[in-house]
Amino acid sequence: MDASARLARTGVTSFCPTVVSSSKETYRTIIPLIRRARMWQRENRMRWQQRQRQGKQRQRQSQRQYEVGANILGMHLEGPFFAPSKRGAHDERHIRSPVHGIETVKEVYGLSSDGSEEFDDDDDDHDVPREVIEPPKPEWQDVEIITLAPELEGAFSAIASLTQKRRQQPQDDDEEGEGEGETHPSPLNHPIVVSMGHTSATYQDG
C-alpha cells in the first residue's frame, strides 16, 4: 500500500499493478494479495464515509485520498502468452501459448471457472485483522488487462472468451419494483481488456 500512497501524492488517482510472466505459483500468490489490498481500500473508504455521516471525522477529500492511496483498479497480467522471439526481459521458462484457449489462461493464472466470489460488505469483520482471514482465491474480477501475442495457438479463442460478458443472472423474484425476467450484472459480467504485445504478428495475420 506504500506504493499506492506515493502514487496518490504525485497526482495519480487510479492504476493497474502489473505482473510480468511468472510461474503458476507466483500468480496464485500475487493476484489474491492485490485483491486483499483492494478490499482494504474499499473498507477504509466505507469507514470514512460512515464517520462523515456520523460527524466523527472532518477532513478534506484530498486528505482521505492520501490515507487509502491511489485506487487499485485490478491487475495487469503482462504475459506469459508471448512470442518467444519477442519476450524481451521476460523469463523464457514461463513463456507459453494458450493452446486450449480460455482453459489454458485459467489454468496458468489460477483463476476460478465461475468467478463467483465477491467483495465482502459485511461490517462485522472490519475489526478483524485481514491477515487472520483466509486469503481469497484469484478471480476474474481481480484482473483488468491481459497482454498477449494474438498469433499464438489458441489466442483468438482466449481473446473471444476474455472480452465477452460472461452471463447475466436473473433478479430475485422477491425484489419489489422489478419486472419478471429482468437481469442485472453478476460478478461474471466483467470483460477483460486484451492488449496486443510481445508479438511477431504481421498485418497479414490480422
Side-chain angles (χ1 to χ4, degrees):
M1 298 309 299
D2 182 63
S4 183
R6 288 175 181 271
L7 285 172
R9 295 189 184 102
T10 66
V12 175
T13 60
S14 303
F15 71 108
C16 293
T18 298
V19 176
V20 298
S21 300
S22 303
S23 66
K24 296 177 183 179
E25 293 74 19
T26 298
Y27 290 122
R28 285 158 175 76
T29 299
I30 297 299
I31 296 176
L33 286 177
I34 296 299
R35 162 75 73 83
R36 180 176 292 181
R38 295 175 68 200
M39 292 172 71
W40 179 86
Q41 286 187 330
R42 179 171 178 172
E43 290 167 357
N44 274 5
R45 289 191 178 99
M46 290 173 61
R47 288 195 192 101
W48 183 85
Q49 291 169 355
Q50 183 179 20
R51 290 170 182 169
Q52 277 240 320
R53 289 193 295 268
Q54 296 173 349
K56 294 181 178 180
Q57 183 170 330
R58 303 293 182 185
Q59 59 184 20
R60 295 179 302 174
Q61 182 78 9
S62 59
Q63 291 175 316
R64 179 178 68 88
Q65 180 66 35
Y66 294 156
E67 288 185 359
V68 299
N71 185 42
I72 301 174
L73 299 176
M75 295 295 301
H76 170 207
L77 302 178
E78 186 182 0
F81 308 111
F82 290 159
S85 62
K86 300 293 184 179
R87 64 181 177 83
H90 290 249
D91 192 332
E92 63 181 346
R93 294 174 298 175
H94 305 310
I95 302 302
R96 59 182 300 171
S97 296
V99 291
H100 299 297
I102 193 64
E103 294 305 318
T104 302
V105 174
K106 291 191 294 187
E107 190 267 335
V108 169
Y109 295 142
L111 295 165
S112 71
S113 296
D114 59 8
S116 58
E117 183 176 349
E118 295 186 78
F119 284 150
D120 184 5
D121 286 334
D122 186 355
D123 291 338
D124 294 340
D125 290 336
H126 282 175
D127 294 329
V128 179
R130 181 59 59 184
E131 58 269 15
V132 305
I133 300 176
E134 182 179 356
K137 297 178 181 179
E139 296 285 349
W140 287 111
Q141 66 182 17
D142 299 326
V143 181
E144 285 294 320
I145 306 171
I146 293 178
T147 297
L148 54 75
E151 77 278 9
L152 300 178
E153 181 182 359
F156 277 11
S157 173
I159 292 169
S161 298
L162 289 166
T163 56
Q164 69 181 357
K165 293 183 178 180
R166 291 178 176 76
R167 64 179 169 85
Q168 296 280 321
Q169 292 179 337
Q171 290 276 24
D172 294 335
D173 294 336
D174 57 354
E175 288 192 15
E176 297 181 1
E178 299 290 344
E180 290 188 10
E182 292 189 9
T183 61
H184 66 94
S186 75
L188 306 186
N189 189 10
H190 178 65
I192 307 297
V193 174
V194 176
S195 173
M196 182 175 71
H198 294 263
T199 174
S200 60
T202 65
Y203 183 80
Q204 287 71 26
D205 292 329

PDB file of all heavy atoms in Angstrom, residues 42-59 64 121-124 126-127:
ATOM      1  N   ARG A  42     -11.309  -0.426  -0.063  1.00  0.00           N
ATOM      2  CA  ARG A  42     -12.762  -0.281  -0.046  1.00  0.00           C
ATOM      3  C   ARG A  42     -13.289  -0.150   1.377  1.00  0.00           C
ATOM      4  O   ARG A  42     -14.142   0.682   1.664  1.00  0.00           O
ATOM      5  CB  ARG A  42     -13.403  -1.480  -0.739  1.00  0.00           C
ATOM      6  CG  ARG A  42     -14.920  -1.438  -0.743  1.00  0.00           C
ATOM      7  CD  ARG A  42     -15.489  -2.526  -1.619  1.00  0.00           C
ATOM      8  NE  ARG A  42     -16.943  -2.517  -1.584  1.00  0.00           N
ATOM      9  CZ  ARG A  42     -17.690  -3.251  -2.356  1.00  0.00           C
ATOM     10  NH1 ARG A  42     -17.136  -4.056  -3.241  1.00  0.00           N
ATOM     11  NH2 ARG A  42     -19.008  -3.211  -2.265  1.00  0.00           N
ATOM     12  N   GLU A  43     -12.778  -0.986   2.279  1.00  0.00           N
ATOM     13  CA  GLU A  43     -13.233  -0.939   3.659  1.00  0.00           C
ATOM     14  C   GLU A  43     -12.903   0.400   4.309  1.00  0.00           C
ATOM     15  O   GLU A  43     -13.723   0.961   5.056  1.00  0.00           O
ATOM     16  CB  GLU A  43     -12.602  -2.089   4.439  1.00  0.00           C
ATOM     17  CG  GLU A  43     -13.153  -3.444   4.045  1.00  0.00           C
ATOM     18  CD  GLU A  43     -12.324  -4.593   4.591  1.00  0.00           C
ATOM     19  OE1 GLU A  43     -11.282  -4.315   5.235  1.00  0.00           O
ATOM     20  OE2 GLU A  43     -12.718  -5.745   4.373  1.00  0.00           O
ATOM     21  N   ASN A  44     -11.705   0.927   4.053  1.00  0.00           N
ATOM     22  CA  ASN A  44     -11.320   2.210   4.645  1.00  0.00           C
ATOM     23  C   ASN A  44     -12.168   3.351   4.100  1.00  0.00           C
ATOM     24  O   ASN A  44     -12.514   4.281   4.837  1.00  0.00           O
ATOM     25  CB  ASN A  44      -9.839   2.483   4.380  1.00  0.00           C
ATOM     26  CG  ASN A  44      -8.952   1.853   5.434  1.00  0.00           C
ATOM     27  OD1 ASN A  44      -9.435   1.127   6.306  1.00  0.00           O
ATOM     28  ND2 ASN A  44      -7.664   2.091   5.364  1.00  0.00           N
ATOM     29  N   ARG A  45     -12.504   3.313   2.813  1.00  0.00           N
ATOM     30  CA  ARG A  45     -13.385   4.335   2.253  1.00  0.00           C
ATOM     31  C   ARG A  45     -14.772   4.265   2.878  1.00  0.00           C
ATOM     32  O   ARG A  45     -15.395   5.288   3.158  1.00  0.00           O
ATOM     33  CB  ARG A  45     -13.464   4.187   0.737  1.00  0.00           C
ATOM     34  CG  ARG A  45     -12.183   4.578   0.011  1.00  0.00           C
ATOM     35  CD  ARG A  45     -12.396   4.671  -1.486  1.00  0.00           C
ATOM     36  NE  ARG A  45     -11.174   5.086  -2.156  1.00  0.00           N
ATOM     37  CZ  ARG A  45     -10.327   4.267  -2.752  1.00  0.00           C
ATOM     38  NH1 ARG A  45     -10.601   2.977  -2.792  1.00  0.00           N
ATOM     39  NH2 ARG A  45      -9.223   4.719  -3.339  1.00  0.00           N
ATOM     40  N   MET A  46     -15.250   3.043   3.095  1.00  0.00           N
ATOM     41  CA  MET A  46     -16.560   2.869   3.716  1.00  0.00           C
ATOM     42  C   MET A  46     -16.568   3.407   5.144  1.00  0.00           C
ATOM     43  O   MET A  46     -17.515   4.056   5.578  1.00  0.00           O
ATOM     44  CB  MET A  46     -16.958   1.399   3.689  1.00  0.00           C
ATOM     45  CG  MET A  46     -17.285   0.868   2.303  1.00  0.00           C
ATOM     46  SD  MET A  46     -17.546  -0.921   2.282  1.00  0.00           S
ATOM     47  CE  MET A  46     -18.964  -1.056   3.386  1.00  0.00           C
ATOM     48  N   ARG A  47     -15.466   3.144   5.871  1.00  0.00           N
ATOM     49  CA  ARG A  47     -15.354   3.665   7.236  1.00  0.00           C
ATOM     50  C   ARG A  47     -15.381   5.193   7.248  1.00  0.00           C
ATOM     51  O   ARG A  47     -16.050   5.815   8.074  1.00  0.00           O
ATOM     52  CB  ARG A  47     -14.055   3.174   7.874  1.00  0.00           C
ATOM     53  CG  ARG A  47     -14.032   1.713   8.233  1.00  0.00           C
ATOM     54  CD  ARG A  47     -12.862   1.439   9.178  1.00  0.00           C
ATOM     55  NE  ARG A  47     -12.628   0.018   9.328  1.00  0.00           N
ATOM     56  CZ  ARG A  47     -11.674  -0.653   8.698  1.00  0.00           C
ATOM     57  NH1 ARG A  47     -10.872  -0.009   7.851  1.00  0.00           N
ATOM     58  NH2 ARG A  47     -11.506  -1.939   8.893  1.00  0.00           N
ATOM     59  N   TRP A  48     -14.609   5.795   6.328  1.00  0.00           N
ATOM     60  CA  TRP A  48     -14.538   7.251   6.273  1.00  0.00           C
ATOM     61  C   TRP A  48     -15.905   7.854   5.959  1.00  0.00           C
ATOM     62  O   TRP A  48     -16.324   8.826   6.587  1.00  0.00           O
ATOM     63  CB  TRP A  48     -13.521   7.676   5.230  1.00  0.00           C
ATOM     64  CG  TRP A  48     -13.322   9.159   5.138  1.00  0.00           C
ATOM     65  CD1 TRP A  48     -12.493   9.931   5.890  1.00  0.00           C
ATOM     66  CD2 TRP A  48     -13.996  10.055   4.251  1.00  0.00           C
ATOM     67  NE1 TRP A  48     -12.584  11.252   5.524  1.00  0.00           N
ATOM     68  CE2 TRP A  48     -13.507  11.357   4.519  1.00  0.00           C
ATOM     69  CE3 TRP A  48     -14.954   9.881   3.258  1.00  0.00           C
ATOM     70  CZ2 TRP A  48     -13.953  12.473   3.823  1.00  0.00           C
ATOM     71  CZ3 TRP A  48     -15.398  11.003   2.561  1.00  0.00           C
ATOM     72  CH2 TRP A  48     -14.896  12.267   2.847  1.00  0.00           C
ATOM     73  N   GLN A  49     -16.608   7.255   5.006  1.00  0.00           N
ATOM     74  CA  GLN A  49     -17.934   7.754   4.646  1.00  0.00           C
ATOM     75  C   GLN A  49     -18.903   7.631   5.819  1.00  0.00           C
ATOM     76  O   GLN A  49     -19.714   8.528   6.064  1.00  0.00           O
ATOM     77  CB  GLN A  49     -18.462   6.981   3.437  1.00  0.00           C
ATOM     78  CG  GLN A  49     -17.700   7.282   2.162  1.00  0.00           C
ATOM     79  CD  GLN A  49     -18.046   6.331   1.033  1.00  0.00           C
ATOM     80  OE1 GLN A  49     -18.802   5.377   1.211  1.00  0.00           O
ATOM     81  NE2 GLN A  49     -17.480   6.578  -0.139  1.00  0.00           N
ATOM     82  N   GLN A  50     -18.814   6.527   6.551  1.00  0.00           N
ATOM     83  CA  GLN A  50     -19.687   6.336   7.700  1.00  0.00           C
ATOM     84  C   GLN A  50     -19.392   7.358   8.789  1.00  0.00           C
ATOM     85  O   GLN A  50     -20.308   7.930   9.380  1.00  0.00           O
ATOM     86  CB  GLN A  50     -19.528   4.923   8.243  1.00  0.00           C
ATOM     87  CG  GLN A  50     -20.466   4.600   9.401  1.00  0.00           C
ATOM     88  CD  GLN A  50     -20.293   3.185   9.891  1.00  0.00           C
ATOM     89  OE1 GLN A  50     -19.267   2.555   9.643  1.00  0.00           O
ATOM     90  NE2 GLN A  50     -21.282   2.667  10.583  1.00  0.00           N
ATOM     91  N   ARG A  51     -18.127   7.613   9.031  1.00  0.00           N
ATOM     92  CA  ARG A  51     -17.759   8.581  10.064  1.00  0.00           C
ATOM     93  C   ARG A  51     -18.172   9.997   9.681  1.00  0.00           C
ATOM     94  O   ARG A  51     -18.555  10.789  10.530  1.00  0.00           O
ATOM     95  CB  ARG A  51     -16.253   8.515  10.323  1.00  0.00           C
ATOM     96  CG  ARG A  51     -15.828   7.233  11.030  1.00  0.00           C
ATOM     97  CD  ARG A  51     -14.333   7.060  11.056  1.00  0.00           C
ATOM     98  NE  ARG A  51     -13.956   5.814  11.703  1.00  0.00           N
ATOM     99  CZ  ARG A  51     -12.734   5.314  11.681  1.00  0.00           C
ATOM    100  NH1 ARG A  51     -11.766   5.964  11.031  1.00  0.00           N
ATOM    101  NH2 ARG A  51     -12.460   4.187  12.287  1.00  0.00           N
ATOM    102  N   GLN A  52     -18.074  10.294   8.388  1.00  0.00           N
ATOM    103  CA  GLN A  52     -18.524  11.607   7.935  1.00  0.00           C
ATOM    104  C   GLN A  52     -20.014  11.781   8.173  1.00  0.00           C
ATOM    105  O   GLN A  52     -20.462  12.833   8.623  1.00  0.00           O
ATOM    106  CB  GLN A  52     -18.206  11.783   6.449  1.00  0.00           C
ATOM    107  CG  GLN A  52     -16.788  12.226   6.158  1.00  0.00           C
ATOM    108  CD  GLN A  52     -16.759  13.547   5.426  1.00  0.00           C
ATOM    109  OE1 GLN A  52     -17.570  13.787   4.542  1.00  0.00           O
ATOM    110  NE2 GLN A  52     -15.844  14.416   5.799  1.00  0.00           N
ATOM    111  N   ARG A  53     -20.779  10.726   7.860  1.00  0.00           N
ATOM    112  CA  ARG A  53     -22.223  10.805   8.096  1.00  0.00           C
ATOM    113  C   ARG A  53     -22.546  10.970   9.573  1.00  0.00           C
ATOM    114  O   ARG A  53     -23.516  11.616   9.945  1.00  0.00           O
ATOM    115  CB  ARG A  53     -22.904   9.549   7.547  1.00  0.00           C
ATOM    116  CG  ARG A  53     -22.946   9.471   6.020  1.00  0.00           C
ATOM    117  CD  ARG A  53     -23.899   8.399   5.561  1.00  0.00           C
ATOM    118  NE  ARG A  53     -23.463   7.076   5.962  1.00  0.00           N
ATOM    119  CZ  ARG A  53     -22.700   6.287   5.209  1.00  0.00           C
ATOM    120  NH1 ARG A  53     -22.288   6.702   4.017  1.00  0.00           N
ATOM    121  NH2 ARG A  53     -22.352   5.091   5.633  1.00  0.00           N
ATOM    122  N   GLN A  54     -21.712  10.381  10.420  1.00  0.00           N
ATOM    123  CA  GLN A  54     -21.934  10.470  11.856  1.00  0.00           C
ATOM    124  C   GLN A  54     -21.303  11.722  12.472  1.00  0.00           C
ATOM    125  O   GLN A  54     -21.447  11.957  13.668  1.00  0.00           O
ATOM    126  CB  GLN A  54     -21.360   9.232  12.538  1.00  0.00           C
ATOM    127  CG  GLN A  54     -22.060   7.938  12.137  1.00  0.00           C
ATOM    128  CD  GLN A  54     -21.365   6.707  12.686  1.00  0.00           C
ATOM    129  OE1 GLN A  54     -20.240   6.800  13.196  1.00  0.00           O
ATOM    130  NE2 GLN A  54     -22.022   5.569  12.609  1.00  0.00           N
ATOM    131  N   GLY A  55     -20.606  12.501  11.653  1.00  0.00           N
ATOM    132  CA  GLY A  55     -19.977  13.718  12.144  1.00  0.00           C
ATOM    133  C   GLY A  55     -18.755  13.480  12.985  1.00  0.00           C
ATOM    134  O   GLY A  55     -18.329  14.359  13.732  1.00  0.00           O
ATOM    135  N   LYS A  56     -18.135  12.295  12.860  1.00  0.00           N
ATOM    136  CA  LYS A  56     -16.978  11.958  13.688  1.00  0.00           C
ATOM    137  C   LYS A  56     -15.648  12.288  13.019  1.00  0.00           C
ATOM    138  O   LYS A  56     -14.603  12.199  13.648  1.00  0.00           O
ATOM    139  CB  LYS A  56     -17.006  10.464  14.034  1.00  0.00           C
ATOM    140  CG  LYS A  56     -18.168  10.065  14.928  1.00  0.00           C
ATOM    141  CD  LYS A  56     -18.102   8.582  15.247  1.00  0.00           C
ATOM    142  CE  LYS A  56     -19.234   8.177  16.178  1.00  0.00           C
ATOM    143  NZ  LYS A  56     -19.200   6.732  16.499  1.00  0.00           N
ATOM    144  N   GLN A  57     -15.717  12.631  11.743  1.00  0.00           N
ATOM    145  CA  GLN A  57     -14.462  12.893  11.037  1.00  0.00           C
ATOM    146  C   GLN A  57     -14.668  14.041  10.069  1.00  0.00           C
ATOM    147  O   GLN A  57     -15.580  14.015   9.254  1.00  0.00           O
ATOM    148  CB  GLN A  57     -14.020  11.629  10.282  1.00  0.00           C
ATOM    149  CG  GLN A  57     -12.693  11.798   9.576  1.00  0.00           C
ATOM    150  CD  GLN A  57     -12.202  10.456   9.052  1.00  0.00           C
ATOM    151  OE1 GLN A  57     -12.485   9.429   9.624  1.00  0.00           O
ATOM    152  NE2 GLN A  57     -11.468  10.494   7.964  1.00  0.00           N
ATOM    153  N   ARG A  58     -13.842  15.052  10.172  1.00  0.00           N
ATOM    154  CA  ARG A  58     -13.917  16.207   9.292  1.00  0.00           C
ATOM    155  C   ARG A  58     -12.567  16.420   8.642  1.00  0.00           C
ATOM    156  O   ARG A  58     -11.594  16.780   9.309  1.00  0.00           O
ATOM    157  CB  ARG A  58     -14.301  17.478  10.078  1.00  0.00           C
ATOM    158  CG  ARG A  58     -15.614  17.356  10.842  1.00  0.00           C
ATOM    159  CD  ARG A  58     -16.795  17.252   9.894  1.00  0.00           C
ATOM    160  NE  ARG A  58     -18.058  17.173  10.608  1.00  0.00           N
ATOM    161  CZ  ARG A  58     -19.237  16.987  10.017  1.00  0.00           C
ATOM    162  NH1 ARG A  58     -19.295  16.857   8.714  1.00  0.00           N
ATOM    163  NH2 ARG A  58     -20.331  16.916  10.737  1.00  0.00           N
ATOM    164  N   GLN A  59     -12.492  16.163   7.378  1.00  0.00           N
ATOM    165  CA  GLN A  59     -11.242  16.402   6.670  1.00  0.00           C
ATOM    166  C   GLN A  59     -11.537  16.515   5.193  1.00  0.00           C
ATOM    167  O   GLN A  59     -12.575  16.125   4.718  1.00  0.00           O
ATOM    168  CB  GLN A  59     -10.234  15.287   6.920  1.00  0.00           C
ATOM    169  CG  GLN A  59     -10.707  13.910   6.503  1.00  0.00           C
ATOM    170  CD  GLN A  59      -9.685  12.848   6.874  1.00  0.00           C
ATOM    171  OE1 GLN A  59      -8.849  13.069   7.726  1.00  0.00           O
ATOM    172  NE2 GLN A  59      -9.749  11.719   6.230  1.00  0.00           N
ATOM    173  N   ARG A  64      -8.251  12.314   2.584  1.00  0.00           N
ATOM    174  CA  ARG A  64      -8.723  10.932   2.574  1.00  0.00           C
ATOM    175  C   ARG A  64      -8.030  10.133   1.488  1.00  0.00           C
ATOM    176  O   ARG A  64      -7.671   8.972   1.673  1.00  0.00           O
ATOM    177  CB  ARG A  64     -10.241  10.894   2.359  1.00  0.00           C
ATOM    178  CG  ARG A  64     -10.800   9.474   2.303  1.00  0.00           C
ATOM    179  CD  ARG A  64     -12.303   9.476   2.143  1.00  0.00           C
ATOM    180  NE  ARG A  64     -12.707   9.984   0.854  1.00  0.00           N
ATOM    181  CZ  ARG A  64     -12.831   9.230  -0.247  1.00  0.00           C
ATOM    182  NH1 ARG A  64     -12.546   7.951  -0.198  1.00  0.00           N
ATOM    183  NH2 ARG A  64     -13.220   9.774  -1.383  1.00  0.00           N
ATOM    184  N   ASP A 121     -19.089  -7.208   1.976  1.00  0.00           N
ATOM    185  CA  ASP A 121     -19.513  -5.923   2.515  1.00  0.00           C
ATOM    186  C   ASP A 121     -19.958  -6.020   3.968  1.00  0.00           C
ATOM    187  O   ASP A 121     -20.483  -5.069   4.531  1.00  0.00           O
ATOM    188  CB  ASP A 121     -20.688  -5.358   1.694  1.00  0.00           C
ATOM    189  CG  ASP A 121     -20.221  -4.849   0.354  1.00  0.00           C
ATOM    190  OD1 ASP A 121     -19.044  -4.480   0.253  1.00  0.00           O
ATOM    191  OD2 ASP A 121     -21.036  -4.819  -0.585  1.00  0.00           O
ATOM    192  N   ASP A 122     -19.776  -7.180   4.590  1.00  0.00           N
ATOM    193  CA  ASP A 122     -20.216  -7.382   5.957  1.00  0.00           C
ATOM    194  C   ASP A 122     -19.336  -6.561   6.891  1.00  0.00           C
ATOM    195  O   ASP A 122     -18.140  -6.790   7.002  1.00  0.00           O
ATOM    196  CB  ASP A 122     -20.129  -8.871   6.308  1.00  0.00           C
ATOM    197  CG  ASP A 122     -20.718  -9.187   7.674  1.00  0.00           C
ATOM    198  OD1 ASP A 122     -21.107  -8.231   8.369  1.00  0.00           O
ATOM    199  OD2 ASP A 122     -20.788 -10.376   8.031  1.00  0.00           O
ATOM    200  N   ASP A 123     -19.943  -5.623   7.624  1.00  0.00           N
ATOM    201  CA  ASP A 123     -19.185  -4.743   8.511  1.00  0.00           C
ATOM    202  C   ASP A 123     -18.691  -5.466   9.752  1.00  0.00           C
ATOM    203  O   ASP A 123     -17.848  -4.952  10.473  1.00  0.00           O
ATOM    204  CB  ASP A 123     -20.041  -3.540   8.937  1.00  0.00           C
ATOM    205  CG  ASP A 123     -20.298  -2.610   7.773  1.00  0.00           C
ATOM    206  OD1 ASP A 123     -19.521  -2.648   6.798  1.00  0.00           O
ATOM    207  OD2 ASP A 123     -21.273  -1.850   7.857  1.00  0.00           O
ATOM    208  N   ASP A 124     -19.200  -6.690  10.017  1.00  0.00           N
ATOM    209  CA  ASP A 124     -18.841  -7.374  11.247  1.00  0.00           C
ATOM    210  C   ASP A 124     -17.363  -7.730  11.306  1.00  0.00           C
ATOM    211  O   ASP A 124     -16.785  -7.865  12.375  1.00  0.00           O
ATOM    212  CB  ASP A 124     -19.669  -8.664  11.395  1.00  0.00           C
ATOM    213  CG  ASP A 124     -21.153  -8.364  11.590  1.00  0.00           C
ATOM    214  OD1 ASP A 124     -21.464  -7.221  11.979  1.00  0.00           O
ATOM    215  OD2 ASP A 124     -21.981  -9.273  11.353  1.00  0.00           O
ATOM    216  N   HIS A 126     -14.836  -5.928  10.052  1.00  0.00           N
ATOM    217  CA  HIS A 126     -13.950  -4.794   9.818  1.00  0.00           C
ATOM    218  C   HIS A 126     -12.878  -4.648  10.887  1.00  0.00           C
ATOM    219  O   HIS A 126     -11.829  -4.080  10.630  1.00  0.00           O
ATOM    220  CB  HIS A 126     -14.769  -3.508   9.725  1.00  0.00           C
ATOM    221  CG  HIS A 126     -15.435  -3.348   8.394  1.00  0.00           C
ATOM    222  ND1 HIS A 126     -16.299  -2.332   8.122  1.00  0.00           N
ATOM    223  CD2 HIS A 126     -15.369  -4.093   7.266  1.00  0.00           C
ATOM    224  CE1 HIS A 126     -16.734  -2.444   6.881  1.00  0.00           C
ATOM    225  NE2 HIS A 126     -16.180  -3.511   6.342  1.00  0.00           N
ATOM    226  N   ASP A 127     -13.146  -5.155  12.098  1.00  0.00           N
ATOM    227  CA  ASP A 127     -12.170  -5.026  13.162  1.00  0.00           C
ATOM    228  C   ASP A 127     -11.271  -6.250  13.274  1.00  0.00           C
ATOM    229  O   ASP A 127     -10.419  -6.323  14.144  1.00  0.00           O
ATOM    230  CB  ASP A 127     -12.891  -4.800  14.501  1.00  0.00           C
ATOM    231  CG  ASP A 127     -13.629  -3.461  14.516  1.00  0.00           C
ATOM    232  OD1 ASP A 127     -13.147  -2.527  13.852  1.00  0.00           O
ATOM    233  OD2 ASP A 127     -14.675  -3.373  15.179  1.00  0.00           O
TER     234      ASP A 127
END
